[in-house]
Amino acid sequence: MRTSLNVPDDVLAEFDAVWEAEGLDSRSRAIREAMLEYVESHTRLEEAEGDIAAVVAFDYEHEAVIRELHTVQHDFEDVIEATSHTHHGHWCFEVAFCDGPAERVRRLVYRLRDFDAVRRVSVLSLTLSGT
């Protein structure tokens, strides 16, 4: 199937540099692999049940979204146990250490991804139920 995407020039240039350095055959192959990784990582979060421990890392433009992010963190203080924050120019990198119901952690992740000024949200999770 053919499709088209709108991708910022700088992101496309970085993407091309990575897949070419890895020796992949084409941009299409690299996009397919990236899409599969995306589906796998999101499926794992979506399928998690019960209590989980998770690290949620995200980066964002400080001035554009800081007040809203503080509100979100307070809204999810039942699952956010601690945070760590650092600045890099006008960008920030934040890590939230979470523990609690998978559904609440999912909602937190989806809320963070909903902000235009949040560039990436990555999740590393462990199920506590042994599954």
Side-chain angles (χ1 to χ4, degrees):
M1 173 197 291
R2 291 193 177 271
T3 188
S4 63
L5 305 169
N6 291 320
V7 180
D9 290 339
D10 60 328
V11 173
L12 185 60
E14 285 182 73
F15 185 78
D16 286 344
V18 170
W19 71 260
E20 288 171 355
E22 289 181 355
L24 293 179
D25 297 336
S26 66
R27 181 186 290 156
S28 291
R29 166 98 188 259
I31 290 171
R32 282 193 304 272
E33 287 190 18
M35 290 174 77
L36 287 171
E37 287 180 19
Y38 180 87
V39 169
E40 288 171 6
S41 69
H42 286 262
T43 300
R44 180 177 175 158
L45 179 62
E46 194 59 39
E47 292 176 350
E49 295 180 358
D51 285 347
I52 63 172
V55 176
V56 180
F58 54 102
D59 59 341
Y60 58 93
E61 284 186 274
H62 182 82
E63 293 299 323
V65 73
I66 190 63
R67 293 193 195 291
E68 293 89 348
L69 286 177
H70 283 161
T71 299
V72 169
Q73 287 179 347
H74 285 282
D75 290 346
F76 287 88
E77 65 187 4
D78 59 312
V79 292
I80 297 175
E81 292 192 338
T83 61
S84 183
H85 176 97
T86 188
H87 295 269
H88 186 72
H90 66 279
W91 283 88
C92 294
F93 185 66
E94 186 119 8
V95 180
F97 300 91
C98 302
D99 188 6
E103 177 58 30
R104 288 289 291 159
V105 175
R106 260 193 303 278
R107 285 187 197 163
L108 168 62
V109 169
Y110 297 155
R111 285 275 302 274
L112 293 171
R113 287 182 176 151
D114 203 30
F115 291 103
D116 289 337
V118 173
R119 186 166 52 179
R120 292 171 299 193
V121 180
S122 298
V123 182
L124 174 65
S125 65
L126 297 170
T127 57
L128 300 179
S129 62
T131 58

